[in-house]
Amino acid sequence: MSTLRDAVPGADRSARHRDPNARRPGTRRRSRRVERLLGEHPLGLLLSSPYVAYVLVVFLIPFGFGVWMAFHDFFFTAPGVQVPHPFVGFDNFGQVLGDPAVRQAFGNLLVFLVINVPLTVVLALLFASGLDAVVHWKGFFRVSYYIPYVTASVATLTVWIFMFNGNGVVNRVLGDLAPDPTWLANQNLIMPLIAVYVTWKNLGFYVLLYLAALQNVPAELHEAAQMDGAGKWQRFRAVTLPGVRPVTSLVVLLTIIMTGQIFTEPYLLTGGGPDGASMTPALLMYQKGIQQGQPDVAAAIGLLLVLAVMILSLASRRLTERKG
Amino acid sequence: MPSTANRATGLPSVLRFAVLFVGALVALVPFYYMVIGSLQRERDTSLGGLLPLPGNLTFDNFVGVNESINLLRALLNSLIMTAGVVGCTLVLGLLVGYALAVLSFRGQGLVFALVLLVQAIPFQLLMVPLYVMVVRYFNLADSYAGMILPFAVNSVAVLIFRQYFLQIPRDVFDAARIDGASEVRILRSIAAPLVRPAILTAMLVTFIGPWNEFLWPFLVTKDASMQPLAVSLANFSQANSTFQANPMGAVLAGACVLAIPAVVLFLMFKRHFTSANLGSAIKG
């Protein structure tokens, strides 16, 4: 997403290249025709071709295949066997939308978002403002916050499982306050626990984003506000918050996009349970598409998921950028 | 903007330091617990167990997990997959980044649009069809090629390289052209050495992804001897590892082995993980 800001295609530069004054001396006439057809440096096509070929094989063809699959009756067969895959229209989608398990999985993502987004924004902004002003141990704090982000989920989830299972250290500390049924077996606590885990894991990344944004808020604005008699809290609200709004918008967008991909956490913590309370669409796609051999249904879930993520992303952009 | 000291944060400095410290503690405690748990002879979940008690410390858990999942083999698989991904990413990214920044050719805008499109297509859409293609049609299940394929193209690296090449004055390339150097020669002898820092940055930014990746290698590897460590460890942890003397210790020992290389590399090169590089690492 942020890459779009430096997305200035090579138009201006290629114009400069075609400027006759910038041409190297002694260009042969033959190259004129090649140039008109392929551009000044046909080598560029050659250098780009492996990348483009990969994009076709790994992204565009599977993308089209997935959409095709969702509208056809597709199932696995023995290798080499030719079977018809008839067009079934929206049948797969009908089946998906009528499935309470699917609805529950999408509902779980909403629970996740409601906890994860505010928690991420508030904590990242809090730690980034602290880091921006602190003098000592700055490096230590940055490194500490970032370490969970660079560590494999499989490794950190393992620790979380052992900290939060029935006789784990968290319940030992809580004593009589420990929840019953305990964390991983509790329908009401499992999705919040996953939301807290993901917040913990990714927070360092968002802290660094906010830190960069805070350092770009002009100090003059703070000074001017101070001259006008604004207190610390007023300056935070009137100067800092508007100054970091683009990053807030980005953070919300990224958490929404990442939410759609949640798979490893429920798979390792609970396998989607208890009773579907931590099931997510991505995990459901794995179970239906690969374990139960219904790739067409899984592809339909995938399309709905991407659609939901897109709608939420657009809504979040309108909400977070409107007041700018 | 150097005057950070008097920036408004709404918090007095002692409280601010305390908040930051608690945050760091919360970030690090699970790692401490990972290490201490991997060294405990017997599982001790009391608060006292968090202290390293000399009588209860042992390396047996590492031996135990190694007997179950062959740590070295799994590490080697992770390494091969990661090296393959990083290698492909660097080569493809360097070529396209150079072409996009320095050359001008027909279809340039389209190639750049493709680079951005790669960022925008969500993996959930690709998961099932890619699985069907790679495993059923290309027959690449349980192979390194199958594990590497979906990550070989990476717009992060392309954008990093493109950005670096754009910063090099165009006169450098024009001078070489006037001297009669071919475009290939320019790329090899002038452009590539000039962007050495970009190669390091792209390597570091793209290393963590495949090393930590779970979902895709989990889908394409069923053969235990081909699984990267993250997948073997997850399977080991799922199977409850009940025949181990201290199952939790064994799983945590595996987690340490998986976590340490990425953390060490991050600590060694932490100044390269700036927010500018992170910005281009965002997938979305």
Side-chain angles (χ1 to χ4, degrees):
Chain A
M1 282 301 138
S2 72
T3 52
L4 291 176
R5 76 187 150 190
D6 51 24
V8 190
D12 52 335
R13 268 168 297 112
S14 38
R16 186 141 59 97
H17 268 283
R18 284 194 200 98
D19 177 0
N21 299 326
R23 294 289 301 275
R24 66 171 188 249
T27 312
R28 270 159 284 150
R29 201 155 281 130
R30 174 192 61 84
S31 63
R32 282 282 161 80
R33 281 170 58 200
V34 180
E35 197 176 314
R36 217 169 302 136
L37 197 65
L38 302 175
E40 199 196 345
H41 303 111
L43 180 72
L45 284 168
L46 189 69
L47 296 184
S48 306
S49 55
Y51 185 88
V52 172
Y54 260 104
V55 172
L56 274 180
V57 173
V58 176
F59 289 92
L60 295 184
I61 294 176
F63 175 75
F65 185 31
V67 174
W68 181 88
M69 213 186 257
F71 289 98
H72 290 75
D73 183 14
F74 191 90
F75 45 88
F76 294 131
T77 51
V81 179
Q82 292 293 322
V83 283
H85 293 298
F87 177 76
V88 294
F90 285 95
D91 281 9
N92 290 325
F93 292 93
Q95 192 184 332
V96 166
L97 290 173
D99 186 347
V102 176
R103 291 204 294 266
Q104 189 182 19
F106 277 93
N108 289 339
L109 288 193
L110 274 184
V111 174
F112 176 93
L113 276 176
V114 167
I115 298 167
N116 177 262
V117 171
L119 205 58
T120 302
V121 169
V122 170
L123 288 180
L125 192 53
L126 178 75
F127 288 134
S129 331
L131 268 179
D132 191 35
V134 85
V135 186
H136 301 291
W137 290 31
K138 197 171 185 150
F140 166 76
F141 290 134
R142 284 175 69 141
V143 167
S144 311
Y145 299 153
Y146 205 62
I147 276 184
Y149 184 74
V150 296
T151 315
S153 303
V154 174
T156 49
L157 275 168
T158 304
V159 184
W160 277 64
I161 292 175
F162 289 123
M163 283 169 68
F164 280 89
N165 67 8
N167 51 357
V169 69
V170 173
N171 280 354
R172 277 295 188 95
V173 173
L174 288 177
D176 290 341
L177 293 173
D180 177 43
T182 194
W183 305 91
L184 300 180
N186 193 314
Q187 291 202 16
N188 298 320
L189 288 178
I190 186 63
M191 222 46 215
L193 183 67
I194 290 176
V196 171
Y197 164 81
V198 172
T199 309
W200 171 81
K201 172 132 174 62
N202 294 340
L203 196 65
F205 175 73
Y206 298 123
V207 168
L208 286 200
L209 284 186
Y210 267 121
L211 194 58
L214 286 173
Q215 282 162 356
N216 285 330
V217 177
E220 296 80 38
L221 280 181
H222 277 288
E223 281 154 21
Q226 203 162 16
M227 300 274 271
D228 292 345
K232 274 190 167 184
W233 174 240
Q234 277 176 314
R235 272 182 284 150
F236 181 77
R237 278 192 49 185
V239 179
T240 310
L241 270 187
V244 297
R245 179 163 293 142
V247 172
T248 305
S249 178
L250 181 67
V251 170
V252 175
L253 193 70
L254 289 174
T255 45
I256 290 172
I257 290 169
M258 178 214 60
T259 302
Q261 319 201 339
I262 298 175
F263 172 90
T264 316
E265 293 82 7
Y267 175 79
L268 281 179
L269 285 170
T270 57
D275 224 0
S278 66
M279 184 59 76
T280 63
L283 183 54
L284 210 55
M285 282 168 71
Y286 162 71
Q287 293 187 342
K288 290 215 187 283
I290 293 164
Q291 286 188 320
Q292 301 168 14
Q294 296 176 288
D296 46 1
V297 173
I301 298 177
L303 270 181
L304 288 177
L305 177 58
V306 169
L307 207 66
V309 167
M310 270 172 58
I311 291 171
L312 277 178
S313 305
L314 288 176
S316 85
R317 283 196 87 121
R318 297 199 70 152
L319 272 174
T320 51
E321 281 171 7
R322 189 181 45 192
K323 295 165 246 163
Chain B
M1 304 290 146
S3 72
T4 45
N6 66 0
R7 195 164 278 151
T9 62
L11 292 172
S13 62
V14 178
L15 183 60
R16 183 164 61 221
F17 195 82
V19 168
L20 289 175
F21 194 77
V22 169
L25 220 56
V26 171
L28 294 179
V29 159
F31 289 88
Y32 174 74
Y33 193 68
M34 185 192 292
V35 175
I36 206 79
S38 73
L39 294 172
Q40 283 177 352
R41 194 182 307 278
E42 272 169 48
R43 187 178 177 198
D44 184 350
T45 55
S46 67
L47 279 180
L50 288 178
L51 297 170
L53 304 169
N56 198 19
L57 292 185
T58 174
F59 279 104
D60 287 356
N61 294 319
F62 289 86
V63 179
V65 71
N66 188 41
E67 279 165 3
S68 307
I69 61 176
N70 194 351
L71 279 183
L72 276 183
R73 175 75 207 190
L75 266 177
L76 185 71
N77 291 339
S78 289
L79 201 67
I80 292 175
M81 179 189 164
T82 306
V85 169
V86 172
C88 288
T89 300
L90 288 185
V91 172
L92 294 174
L94 190 68
L95 297 182
V96 182
Y98 178 78
L100 286 176
V102 179
L103 304 176
S104 100
F105 55 97
R106 180 163 292 221
Q108 196 165 22
L110 188 69
V111 173
F112 194 75
L114 278 183
V115 172
L116 296 180
L117 190 69
V118 167
Q119 292 265 88
I121 296 184
F123 188 72
Q124 305 96 285
L125 256 186
L126 304 178
M127 178 170 118
V128 174
L130 250 183
Y131 171 82
V132 174
M133 285 170 64
V134 168
V135 174
R136 302 263 161 176
Y137 297 165
F138 304 164
N139 226 345
L140 288 176
D142 288 319
S143 76
Y144 294 120
M147 278 185 249
I148 293 168
L149 189 70
F151 306 103
V153 282
N154 186 330
S155 9
V156 178
V158 178
L159 295 170
I160 290 175
F161 284 126
R162 179 175 166 274
Q163 214 50 48
Y164 265 81
F165 280 124
L166 284 178
Q167 284 163 9
I168 299 172
R170 319 210 50 78
D171 300 343
V172 173
F173 301 112
D174 286 339
R177 282 181 194 129
I178 289 169
D179 287 345
S182 69
E183 291 294 334
V184 178
R185 173 95 205 259
I186 293 175
L187 171 60
R188 214 187 50 214
S189 312
I190 299 175
L194 274 174
V195 291
R196 218 172 271 157
I199 295 177
L200 181 66
T201 306
M203 251 169 83
L204 290 169
V205 171
T206 48
F207 156 84
I208 289 168
W211 183 268
N212 292 347
E213 175 67 24
F214 171 69
L215 177 53
W216 179 253
F218 166 73
L219 292 182
V220 297
T221 55
K222 291 287 163 269
D223 179 359
S225 69
M226 286 301 289
Q227 284 167 347
L229 185 54
V231 179
S232 327
L233 186 64
N235 287 342
F236 178 63
S237 159
Q238 291 294 81
N240 265 332
S241 50
T242 35
F243 50 91
Q244 294 281 335
N246 176 359
M248 180 195 89
V251 173
L252 289 181
C256 285
V257 178
L258 178 62
I260 284 169
V263 171
V264 167
L265 220 78
F266 163 66
L267 291 176
M268 278 167 63
F269 293 99
K270 56 177 181 290
R271 65 194 174 83
H272 289 268
F273 289 82
T274 62
S275 62
N277 295 330
L278 295 176
S280 51
I282 293 163
K283 164 113 183 150

